[in-house]
């Protein structure tokens, strides 16, 4: 078996992780993932761009052996998170002359997280280059995609930009390049929602920066390589824009059916008004699906029963997560039911500090659904319709 290559003397030596189902012990990975590492063989020097998760170091080692690599001069670290860097600590033992090439923040992170000694580093500032002989690498800082130190590396002559996490997908497939655009789009959207959405305003700047760089291929460190960069860049342009869709997302939990009945009633009321509704019962929801729905939605409604007078812990978790992911939703509110006393509205609304939506009138009823509750939900549906019309979504 030969090592796949994406251009002359640029090889894919990373690892597929078909079985991984959770990332950071948080993010579901229905399609596994890959840790892409790219071997760039110049006429004088050899560089490895990003490495692999420590659990897959044996695959990287096997691939380097197959590629008949005798030495590595430079270990380029675009991102110090362990899924790309953990193996660097092992590689510098095998290739003791190798230098770790990264920016100043990357150096700090790698020294802290992996205890790589200071003398091992070559620090590159934004725009600086490194010659491999007939190939030149150029480094560009793109902070916060996904940690503060992240950068991307351009193979100038080959016109390939290595973007590490940015434009990645958690998608393990045997092929190197994108083959199924629909599947890749869906995986990329999930990845964006779970990892990149909190940084969408910074991504706008990074895309602007990319417009000044000459490249024909995007090689991320997760998922397939993009031979059609416009495909993924245009998808990102849509996701990071301020535009929302005529949609309402309702993450909810129901203990004794009252909240469920409210959600079902409101779902019908909104649907009848031409609004797309995405209810997520949090007891069975894949949070990745919920995150994807949050990318475009105009309105978020949290549904919860009162537990010990506050919100149900599952509703608190969903609210915390939604707030952390910072979707561009414009409106939010709470619906729910309580038995004797309830402070959950203040609790949930108080958590939406990063989204800062316009708050609509909550509908919180005592006990089982009442006619008054139905009227309040109809009124809420009318309000949402009016708000969406104001945004010209309907
Ligand atoms: Fe793929 Fe932020 O690591």
């Amino acid at each position: 078996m030969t090592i796949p290559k994406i251009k002359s003397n640029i090889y894919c030596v990373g690892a597929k992780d078909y079985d991984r189902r959770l990332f950071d012990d948080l993010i579901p990975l229905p399609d596994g993932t890959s840790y892409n590492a790219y071997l760039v063989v110049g006429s004088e020097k050899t560089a490895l761009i990003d490495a692999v998760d420590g659990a897959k170091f044996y695959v990287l080692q096997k691939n380097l052996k197959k590629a008949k690599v005798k030495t590595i001069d430079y270990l380029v670290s675009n991102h110090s998170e362990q899924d790309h860097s953990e193996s660097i600590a092992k590689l510098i033992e095998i290739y003791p002359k190798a230098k770790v090439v990264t920016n100043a923040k990357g150096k700090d992170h790698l020294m802290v997280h992996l205890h790589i000694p200071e003398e091992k580093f070559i620090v590159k500032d934004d725009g600086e280059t490194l010659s491999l002989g007939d190939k030149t690498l150029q480094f560009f800082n793109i902070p916060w995609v996904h940690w503060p130190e992240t950068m991307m590396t351009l193979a100038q002559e080959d016109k390939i930009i290595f973007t590490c996490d940015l434009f990645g997908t958690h998608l393990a497939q045997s092929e190197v390049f994108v083959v199924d655009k629909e599947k890749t789009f869906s995986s990329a959207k999930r990845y964006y929602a779970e990892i990149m959405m909190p940084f969408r305003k910074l991504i706008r700047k990074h895309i602007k920066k990319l417009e000044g760089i000459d490249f024909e291929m995007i090689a991320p460190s997760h998922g397939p390589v993009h031979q059609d960069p416009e495909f993924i860049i245009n998808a990102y342009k849509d996701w990071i824009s301020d535009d929302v869709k005529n949609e309402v997302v309702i993450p909810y939990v129901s203990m004794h059916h009252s909240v469920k009945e409210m959600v079902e009633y409101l779902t019908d009321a909104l649907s009848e008004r031409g609004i797309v509704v995405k209810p997520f019962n949090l007891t069975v929801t894949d949070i990745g699906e919920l995150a994807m729905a949050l990318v475009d939605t105009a309105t978020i409604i949290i549904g919860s029963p009162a537990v010990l007078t506050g919100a149900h812990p599952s509703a608190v978790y969903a609210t915390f997560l939604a707030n952390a992911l910072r979707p561009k939703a414009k409106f939010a509110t709470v619906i729910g039911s309580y038995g004797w006393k309830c402070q959950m509205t203040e609790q949930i609304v108080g958590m939406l500090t990063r989204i800062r939506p316009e708050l609509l009138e909550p509908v919180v009823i005592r006990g089982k659904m009442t006619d008054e509750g139905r009227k309040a939900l109809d009124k809420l549906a009318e309000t949402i319709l009016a708000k969406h019309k104001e945004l010209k979504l309907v």
Side-chain angles (χ1 to χ4, degrees):
M1 181 191 151
T2 54
I3 297 294
K5 62 180 176 183
I6 53 174
K7 273 274 177 95
S8 174
N9 289 329
I10 301 183
Y11 301 90
C12 301
V13 290
K16 307 282 166 32
D17 199 341
Y18 292 95
D19 298 333
R20 189 163 181 180
R21 285 293 171 270
L22 203 57
F23 195 83
D24 289 346
D25 277 355
L26 173 68
I27 298 166
L29 303 179
D31 301 308
T33 190
S34 68
Y35 320 107
N36 304 342
Y38 301 95
L39 186 74
V40 183
V41 181
S43 57
E44 293 170 21
K45 302 283 186 188
T46 297
L48 182 72
I49 299 180
D50 293 324
V52 302
D53 191 274
K56 290 287 177 185
F57 179 60
Y58 72 97
V59 179
L60 174 62
Q61 250 188 322
K62 187 182 65 182
N63 289 340
L64 290 172
K65 200 172 165 188
K66 273 188 203 160
K68 297 187 172 41
V69 173
K70 289 196 177 63
T71 191
I72 294 176
D73 301 285
Y74 304 117
L75 296 162
V76 176
S77 174
N78 281 320
H79 177 24
S80 56
E81 191 167 7
Q82 288 82 346
D83 52 322
H84 309 289
S85 69
E86 207 168 14
S87 292
I88 290 177
K90 296 177 182 177
L91 287 167
I92 56 175
E93 287 172 17
I94 299 171
Y95 304 101
K97 289 185 182 163
K99 293 286 186 186
V100 180
V101 181
T102 185
N103 58 25
K105 280 190 183 156
K107 174 185 165 185
D108 172 64
H109 283 221
L110 290 169
M111 287 176 68
V112 169
H113 292 298
L114 296 171
H115 293 180
I116 294 177
E118 186 159 19
E119 64 271 16
K120 287 287 177 190
F121 288 92
I122 294 175
V123 172
K124 289 289 181 184
D125 283 335
D126 188 57
E128 286 190 342
T129 58
L130 180 70
S131 174
L132 306 179
D134 60 345
K135 292 185 189 290
T136 313
L137 301 181
Q138 189 173 17
F139 309 99
F140 298 95
N141 292 336
I142 45 167
W144 293 107
V145 285
H146 123 251
W147 283 4
E149 86 299 359
T150 38
M151 63 178 207
M152 58 187 175
T153 299
L154 174 71
Q156 282 182 340
E157 293 78 4
D158 296 289
K159 300 191 178 182
I160 303 170
I161 190 95
F162 300 92
T163 54
C164 200
D165 273 358
L166 184 62
F167 304 128
T169 47
H170 283 312
L171 174 60
Q173 63 174 45
S174 60
E175 300 93 337
V176 169
F177 298 106
V178 172
V179 282
D180 180 343
K181 280 199 167 175
E182 207 176 315
K183 174 70 183 164
T184 305
F185 180 91
S186 166
S187 288
K189 187 171 185 181
R190 173 185 272 264
Y191 179 100
Y192 167 82
E194 293 167 334
I195 297 162
M196 294 293 161
M197 187 155 62
F199 313 112
R200 75 185 173 92
K201 290 188 178 164
L202 284 163
I203 294 172
R204 283 182 197 165
K205 288 187 186 167
H206 300 335
I207 287 182
K208 201 115 198 97
K209 194 167 194 167
L210 277 169
E211 285 168 2
I213 297 172
D214 187 14
F215 66 93
E216 293 171 350
M217 195 186 288
I218 293 177
S221 290
H222 293 293
V225 174
H226 298 277
Q227 292 170 298
D228 174 11
E230 290 303 309
F231 162 69
I232 190 70
I233 289 174
N234 287 339
Y236 264 70
K237 280 183 177 169
D238 178 32
W239 301 330
I240 63 177
S241 76
D242 287 329
D243 299 338
V244 289
K245 292 190 176 152
N246 182 29
E247 293 179 3
V248 174
V249 169
I250 314 179
Y252 76 95
V253 57
S254 185
M255 285 159 57
H256 303 294
H257 315 300
S258 300
V259 176
K260 190 171 175 55
E261 196 179 340
M262 292 178 78
V263 170
E264 286 172 354
Y265 187 88
L266 182 60
T267 298
D268 288 346
L270 290 165
S271 297
E272 283 161 13
R273 289 164 173 82
I275 296 167
V276 175
V277 191
K278 297 182 178 176
F280 289 92
N281 181 339
L282 294 166
T283 58
V284 294
T285 288
D286 166 345
I287 59 163
E289 294 288 334
L290 172 58
M292 279 172 83
L294 291 172
V295 171
D296 302 310
T297 192
T299 301
I300 303 169
I301 300 175
I302 306 289
S304 176
V307 176
L308 300 173
T309 73
H312 189 288
S314 295
V316 171
Y317 175 67
T319 309
F320 180 87
L321 186 71
N323 186 60
L325 292 176
R326 247 182 194 168
K328 54 194 175 186
K330 311 291 184 198
F331 313 106
T333 193
V334 177
I335 62 172
S337 164
Y338 67 100
W340 48 94
K341 194 176 174 193
C342 174
Q343 295 165 316
M344 67 183 178
T345 305
E346 302 88 309
Q347 192 183 28
I348 290 172
V349 166
M351 291 173 71
L352 298 173
T353 52
R354 285 158 63 104
I355 307 177
R356 296 173 190 266
E358 180 183 333
L359 296 169
L360 308 179
E361 187 70 32
V363 180
V364 180
I365 61 171
R366 187 164 177 222
K368 202 168 159 54
M369 180 81 117
T370 58
D371 281 343
E372 206 177 315
R374 286 183 194 94
K375 271 186 206 154
L377 290 171
D378 281 330
K379 191 173 161 210
L380 175 59
E382 271 305 307
T383 303
I384 292 169
L385 177 65
K387 294 287 179 188
H388 286 202
K389 274 184 178 169
E390 277 172 29
L391 293 179
K392 300 192 176 14
L393 305 176
V394 182

